[in-house]
Amino acid sequence: LNLTHRFIVSSDRENRSLESTMARLAREYKECDQYEKAYQAQDAIFVARKRATNAKKVKPMRWVKNVGLGIKTPDAAIEGTYVDKKCPFTGNVSIRGKIIKGLVISTKMKRTIVVRRDYLHYITKYRRFEKRHKNIHAHCSPAFPVKEGDIVTIGQCRPLAKTVKFNVVAHEAQRETA
């Protein structure tokens, strides 16, 4: 009885969050940001659909998904007008595997950032730790206004480019020191 009750409560929570997300999605078509030579549109949305006046359930004009793993979908992904096929919230990419936090050290590439991950490596001979680091390339969706010095949470996904195998899923702005 407890297990079914928990399942009902959790599915009810998911339905409420889905309904609140659906309320924020645009019902009418807004032109997507056009910065490329080719026309940019989401794959899941048909722009030229007929307007039905007596339709009970109208599909939204923006496709957004919940990536799971306790990751909240950002408002910019739900309400925005960008098109990014490599975005975990609006594109065809699933997050699986490692989830890592790191410091952004470079944002010079287009929609790709470099994240530095510091860790300690144990040397058994001396029974001490040494500092090491790795630079990880991650795809950054336009939903996140990332700058150098910010802390981001990145999740592993399929290879998106030669060196890009992670995607930004959360962002913490850099704290200002006085």
Side-chain angles (χ1 to χ4, degrees), residues 34-47:
Q34 302 295 331
Y35 299 119
E36 307 293 329
K37 288 182 181 177
Y39 180 73
Q40 300 293 304
Q42 283 188 310
D43 290 334
I45 301 298
F46 180 60
V47 178

mmCIF file with all atom_site columns, all heavy atoms in Angstrom, residues 34-47:
data_model
loop_
_atom_site.group_PDB
_atom_site.id
_atom_site.type_symbol
_atom_site.label_atom_id
_atom_site.label_alt_id
_atom_site.label_comp_id
_atom_site.label_asym_id
_atom_site.label_entity_id
_atom_site.label_seq_id
_atom_site.pdbx_PDB_ins_code
_atom_site.Cartn_x
_atom_site.Cartn_y
_atom_site.Cartn_z
_atom_site.occupancy
_atom_site.B_iso_or_equiv
_atom_site.pdbx_formal_charge
_atom_site.auth_seq_id
_atom_site.auth_comp_id
_atom_site.auth_asym_id
_atom_site.auth_atom_id
_atom_site.pdbx_PDB_model_num
ATOM 1   N N   . GLN A 1 34 ? 17.166 33.564 -35.675 1.00 0.00 ? 34 GLN A N   1
ATOM 2   C CA  . GLN A 1 34 ? 17.771 33.192 -36.950 1.00 0.00 ? 34 GLN A CA  1
ATOM 3   C C   . GLN A 1 34 ? 19.142 33.854 -37.068 1.00 0.00 ? 34 GLN A C   1
ATOM 4   O O   . GLN A 1 34 ? 19.245 35.010 -37.435 1.00 0.00 ? 34 GLN A O   1
ATOM 5   C CB  . GLN A 1 34 ? 16.866 33.609 -38.125 1.00 0.00 ? 34 GLN A CB  1
ATOM 6   C CG  . GLN A 1 34 ? 15.479 33.011 -38.086 1.00 0.00 ? 34 GLN A CG  1
ATOM 7   C CD  . GLN A 1 34 ? 15.476 31.507 -38.246 1.00 0.00 ? 34 GLN A CD  1
ATOM 8   O OE1 . GLN A 1 34 ? 16.352 30.932 -38.895 1.00 0.00 ? 34 GLN A OE1 1
ATOM 9   N NE2 . GLN A 1 34 ? 14.506 30.854 -37.654 1.00 0.00 ? 34 GLN A NE2 1
ATOM 10  N N   . TYR A 1 35 ? 20.185 33.108 -36.723 1.00 0.00 ? 35 TYR A N   1
ATOM 11  C CA  . TYR A 1 35 ? 21.558 33.609 -36.817 1.00 0.00 ? 35 TYR A CA  1
ATOM 12  C C   . TYR A 1 35 ? 22.376 32.850 -37.850 1.00 0.00 ? 35 TYR A C   1
ATOM 13  O O   . TYR A 1 35 ? 23.504 33.206 -38.127 1.00 0.00 ? 35 TYR A O   1
ATOM 14  C CB  . TYR A 1 35 ? 22.273 33.503 -35.465 1.00 0.00 ? 35 TYR A CB  1
ATOM 15  C CG  . TYR A 1 35 ? 21.612 34.300 -34.368 1.00 0.00 ? 35 TYR A CG  1
ATOM 16  C CD1 . TYR A 1 35 ? 21.110 33.682 -33.240 1.00 0.00 ? 35 TYR A CD1 1
ATOM 17  C CD2 . TYR A 1 35 ? 21.483 35.682 -34.473 1.00 0.00 ? 35 TYR A CD2 1
ATOM 18  C CE1 . TYR A 1 35 ? 20.512 34.406 -32.234 1.00 0.00 ? 35 TYR A CE1 1
ATOM 19  C CE2 . TYR A 1 35 ? 20.879 36.416 -33.474 1.00 0.00 ? 35 TYR A CE2 1
ATOM 20  C CZ  . TYR A 1 35 ? 20.401 35.775 -32.355 1.00 0.00 ? 35 TYR A CZ  1
ATOM 21  O OH  . TYR A 1 35 ? 19.795 36.491 -31.357 1.00 0.00 ? 35 TYR A OH  1
ATOM 22  N N   . GLU A 1 36 ? 21.825 31.782 -38.381 1.00 0.00 ? 36 GLU A N   1
ATOM 23  C CA  . GLU A 1 36 ? 22.558 30.926 -39.311 1.00 0.00 ? 36 GLU A CA  1
ATOM 24  C C   . GLU A 1 36 ? 22.076 31.165 -40.739 1.00 0.00 ? 36 GLU A C   1
ATOM 25  O O   . GLU A 1 36 ? 21.057 31.797 -40.970 1.00 0.00 ? 36 GLU A O   1
ATOM 26  C CB  . GLU A 1 36 ? 22.345 29.452 -38.944 1.00 0.00 ? 36 GLU A CB  1
ATOM 27  C CG  . GLU A 1 36 ? 22.649 29.117 -37.500 1.00 0.00 ? 36 GLU A CG  1
ATOM 28  C CD  . GLU A 1 36 ? 24.109 29.257 -37.155 1.00 0.00 ? 36 GLU A CD  1
ATOM 29  O OE1 . GLU A 1 36 ? 24.959 29.045 -38.040 1.00 0.00 ? 36 GLU A OE1 1
ATOM 30  O OE2 . GLU A 1 36 ? 24.411 29.598 -35.997 1.00 0.00 ? 36 GLU A OE2 1
ATOM 31  N N   . LYS A 1 37 ? 22.824 30.617 -41.709 1.00 0.00 ? 37 LYS A N   1
ATOM 32  C CA  . LYS A 1 37 ? 22.409 30.726 -43.102 1.00 0.00 ? 37 LYS A CA  1
ATOM 33  C C   . LYS A 1 37 ? 21.169 29.879 -43.372 1.00 0.00 ? 37 LYS A C   1
ATOM 34  O O   . LYS A 1 37 ? 20.293 30.270 -44.125 1.00 0.00 ? 37 LYS A O   1
ATOM 35  C CB  . LYS A 1 37 ? 23.545 30.280 -44.024 1.00 0.00 ? 37 LYS A CB  1
ATOM 36  C CG  . LYS A 1 37 ? 24.681 31.264 -44.080 1.00 0.00 ? 37 LYS A CG  1
ATOM 37  C CD  . LYS A 1 37 ? 25.758 30.796 -45.051 1.00 0.00 ? 37 LYS A CD  1
ATOM 38  C CE  . LYS A 1 37 ? 26.915 31.768 -45.090 1.00 0.00 ? 37 LYS A CE  1
ATOM 39  N NZ  . LYS A 1 37 ? 28.009 31.302 -45.962 1.00 0.00 ? 37 LYS A NZ  1
ATOM 40  N N   . ALA A 1 38 ? 21.107 28.701 -42.748 1.00 0.00 ? 38 ALA A N   1
ATOM 41  C CA  . ALA A 1 38 ? 19.953 27.826 -42.924 1.00 0.00 ? 38 ALA A CA  1
ATOM 42  C C   . ALA A 1 38 ? 18.832 28.229 -41.961 1.00 0.00 ? 38 ALA A C   1
ATOM 43  O O   . ALA A 1 38 ? 19.100 28.765 -40.893 1.00 0.00 ? 38 ALA A O   1
ATOM 44  C CB  . ALA A 1 38 ? 20.353 26.375 -42.671 1.00 0.00 ? 38 ALA A CB  1
ATOM 45  N N   . TYR A 1 39 ? 17.603 27.956 -42.367 1.00 0.00 ? 39 TYR A N   1
ATOM 46  C CA  . TYR A 1 39 ? 16.453 28.289 -41.518 1.00 0.00 ? 39 TYR A CA  1
ATOM 47  C C   . TYR A 1 39 ? 16.471 27.419 -40.277 1.00 0.00 ? 39 TYR A C   1
ATOM 48  O O   . TYR A 1 39 ? 16.594 26.197 -40.359 1.00 0.00 ? 39 TYR A O   1
ATOM 49  C CB  . TYR A 1 39 ? 15.151 28.086 -42.293 1.00 0.00 ? 39 TYR A CB  1
ATOM 50  C CG  . TYR A 1 39 ? 13.929 28.417 -41.484 1.00 0.00 ? 39 TYR A CG  1
ATOM 51  C CD1 . TYR A 1 39 ? 13.602 29.734 -41.203 1.00 0.00 ? 39 TYR A CD1 1
ATOM 52  C CD2 . TYR A 1 39 ? 13.101 27.411 -40.994 1.00 0.00 ? 39 TYR A CD2 1
ATOM 53  C CE1 . TYR A 1 39 ? 12.483 30.043 -40.444 1.00 0.00 ? 39 TYR A CE1 1
ATOM 54  C CE2 . TYR A 1 39 ? 11.984 27.712 -40.246 1.00 0.00 ? 39 TYR A CE2 1
ATOM 55  C CZ  . TYR A 1 39 ? 11.685 29.036 -39.983 1.00 0.00 ? 39 TYR A CZ  1
ATOM 56  O OH  . TYR A 1 39 ? 10.581 29.343 -39.230 1.00 0.00 ? 39 TYR A OH  1
ATOM 57  N N   . GLN A 1 40 ? 16.331 28.020 -39.096 1.00 0.00 ? 40 GLN A N   1
ATOM 58  C CA  . GLN A 1 40 ? 16.381 27.307 -37.829 1.00 0.00 ? 40 GLN A CA  1
ATOM 59  C C   . GLN A 1 40 ? 14.971 27.053 -37.307 1.00 0.00 ? 40 GLN A C   1
ATOM 60  O O   . GLN A 1 40 ? 14.188 27.994 -37.130 1.00 0.00 ? 40 GLN A O   1
ATOM 61  C CB  . GLN A 1 40 ? 17.160 28.125 -36.787 1.00 0.00 ? 40 GLN A CB  1
ATOM 62  C CG  . GLN A 1 40 ? 18.592 28.404 -37.181 1.00 0.00 ? 40 GLN A CG  1
ATOM 63  C CD  . GLN A 1 40 ? 19.419 27.137 -37.224 1.00 0.00 ? 40 GLN A CD  1
ATOM 64  O OE1 . GLN A 1 40 ? 19.504 26.404 -36.262 1.00 0.00 ? 40 GLN A OE1 1
ATOM 65  N NE2 . GLN A 1 40 ? 20.020 26.878 -38.368 1.00 0.00 ? 40 GLN A NE2 1
ATOM 66  N N   . ALA A 1 41 ? 14.639 25.789 -37.079 1.00 0.00 ? 41 ALA A N   1
ATOM 67  C CA  . ALA A 1 41 ? 13.352 25.411 -36.498 1.00 0.00 ? 41 ALA A CA  1
ATOM 68  C C   . ALA A 1 41 ? 13.545 24.115 -35.727 1.00 0.00 ? 41 ALA A C   1
ATOM 69  O O   . ALA A 1 41 ? 14.410 23.302 -36.071 1.00 0.00 ? 41 ALA A O   1
ATOM 70  C CB  . ALA A 1 41 ? 12.297 25.221 -37.572 1.00 0.00 ? 41 ALA A CB  1
ATOM 71  N N   . GLN A 1 42 ? 12.764 23.917 -34.681 1.00 0.00 ? 42 GLN A N   1
ATOM 72  C CA  . GLN A 1 42 ? 12.843 22.674 -33.924 1.00 0.00 ? 42 GLN A CA  1
ATOM 73  C C   . GLN A 1 42 ? 12.287 21.531 -34.759 1.00 0.00 ? 42 GLN A C   1
ATOM 74  O O   . GLN A 1 42 ? 11.284 21.687 -35.463 1.00 0.00 ? 42 GLN A O   1
ATOM 75  C CB  . GLN A 1 42 ? 12.061 22.794 -32.616 1.00 0.00 ? 42 GLN A CB  1
ATOM 76  C CG  . GLN A 1 42 ? 12.779 23.580 -31.559 1.00 0.00 ? 42 GLN A CG  1
ATOM 77  C CD  . GLN A 1 42 ? 12.052 23.512 -30.232 1.00 0.00 ? 42 GLN A CD  1
ATOM 78  O OE1 . GLN A 1 42 ? 10.855 23.746 -30.166 1.00 0.00 ? 42 GLN A OE1 1
ATOM 79  N NE2 . GLN A 1 42 ? 12.782 23.215 -29.190 1.00 0.00 ? 42 GLN A NE2 1
ATOM 80  N N   . ASP A 1 43 ? 12.918 20.347 -34.659 1.00 0.00 ? 43 ASP A N   1
ATOM 81  C CA  . ASP A 1 43 ? 12.491 19.197 -35.447 1.00 0.00 ? 43 ASP A CA  1
ATOM 82  C C   . ASP A 1 43 ? 11.091 18.729 -35.083 1.00 0.00 ? 43 ASP A C   1
ATOM 83  O O   . ASP A 1 43 ? 10.339 18.265 -35.930 1.00 0.00 ? 43 ASP A O   1
ATOM 84  C CB  . ASP A 1 43 ? 13.477 18.040 -35.268 1.00 0.00 ? 43 ASP A CB  1
ATOM 85  C CG  . ASP A 1 43 ? 14.819 18.327 -35.933 1.00 0.00 ? 43 ASP A CG  1
ATOM 86  O OD1 . ASP A 1 43 ? 14.830 19.116 -36.891 1.00 0.00 ? 43 ASP A OD1 1
ATOM 87  O OD2 . ASP A 1 43 ? 15.841 17.760 -35.502 1.00 0.00 ? 43 ASP A OD2 1
ATOM 88  N N   . ALA A 1 44 ? 10.718 18.840 -33.814 1.00 0.00 ? 44 ALA A N   1
ATOM 89  C CA  . ALA A 1 44 ? 9.448  18.289 -33.353 1.00 0.00 ? 44 ALA A CA  1
ATOM 90  C C   . ALA A 1 44 ? 8.254  19.202 -33.622 1.00 0.00 ? 44 ALA A C   1
ATOM 91  O O   . ALA A 1 44 ? 7.122  18.809 -33.379 1.00 0.00 ? 44 ALA A O   1
ATOM 92  C CB  . ALA A 1 44 ? 9.533  17.998 -31.850 1.00 0.00 ? 44 ALA A CB  1
ATOM 93  N N   . ILE A 1 45 ? 8.475  20.406 -34.118 1.00 0.00 ? 45 ILE A N   1
ATOM 94  C CA  . ILE A 1 45 ? 7.395  21.371 -34.298 1.00 0.00 ? 45 ILE A CA  1
ATOM 95  C C   . ILE A 1 45 ? 7.146  21.602 -35.788 1.00 0.00 ? 45 ILE A C   1
ATOM 96  O O   . ILE A 1 45 ? 8.071  21.875 -36.547 1.00 0.00 ? 45 ILE A O   1
ATOM 97  C CB  . ILE A 1 45 ? 7.750  22.720 -33.624 1.00 0.00 ? 45 ILE A CB  1
ATOM 98  C CG1 . ILE A 1 45 ? 8.000  22.530 -32.132 1.00 0.00 ? 45 ILE A CG1 1
ATOM 99  C CG2 . ILE A 1 45 ? 6.682  23.755 -33.867 1.00 0.00 ? 45 ILE A CG2 1
ATOM 100 C CD1 . ILE A 1 45 ? 6.816  22.034 -31.357 1.00 0.00 ? 45 ILE A CD1 1
ATOM 101 N N   . PHE A 1 46 ? 5.879  21.506 -36.176 1.00 0.00 ? 46 PHE A N   1
ATOM 102 C CA  . PHE A 1 46 ? 5.477  21.821 -37.551 1.00 0.00 ? 46 PHE A CA  1
ATOM 103 C C   . PHE A 1 46 ? 4.919  23.238 -37.544 1.00 0.00 ? 46 PHE A C   1
ATOM 104 O O   . PHE A 1 46 ? 3.897  23.517 -36.923 1.00 0.00 ? 46 PHE A O   1
ATOM 105 C CB  . PHE A 1 46 ? 4.431  20.815 -38.046 1.00 0.00 ? 46 PHE A CB  1
ATOM 106 C CG  . PHE A 1 46 ? 3.983  21.084 -39.447 1.00 0.00 ? 46 PHE A CG  1
ATOM 107 C CD1 . PHE A 1 46 ? 4.881  21.076 -40.498 1.00 0.00 ? 46 PHE A CD1 1
ATOM 108 C CD2 . PHE A 1 46 ? 2.650  21.345 -39.720 1.00 0.00 ? 46 PHE A CD2 1
ATOM 109 C CE1 . PHE A 1 46 ? 4.469  21.333 -41.799 1.00 0.00 ? 46 PHE A CE1 1
ATOM 110 C CE2 . PHE A 1 46 ? 2.231  21.592 -41.005 1.00 0.00 ? 46 PHE A CE2 1
ATOM 111 C CZ  . PHE A 1 46 ? 3.142  21.583 -42.046 1.00 0.00 ? 46 PHE A CZ  1
ATOM 112 N N   . VAL A 1 47 ? 5.620  24.152 -38.211 1.00 0.00 ? 47 VAL A N   1
ATOM 113 C CA  . VAL A 1 47 ? 5.304  25.575 -38.143 1.00 0.00 ? 47 VAL A CA  1
ATOM 114 C C   . VAL A 1 47 ? 3.993  25.908 -38.854 1.00 0.00 ? 47 VAL A C   1
ATOM 115 O O   . VAL A 1 47 ? 3.208  26.722 -38.384 1.00 0.00 ? 47 VAL A O   1
ATOM 116 C CB  . VAL A 1 47 ? 6.468  26.406 -38.737 1.00 0.00 ? 47 VAL A CB  1
ATOM 117 C CG1 . VAL A 1 47 ? 6.140  27.874 -38.721 1.00 0.00 ? 47 VAL A CG1 1
ATOM 118 C CG2 . VAL A 1 47 ? 7.729  26.147 -37.958 1.00 0.00 ? 47 VAL A CG2 1
#
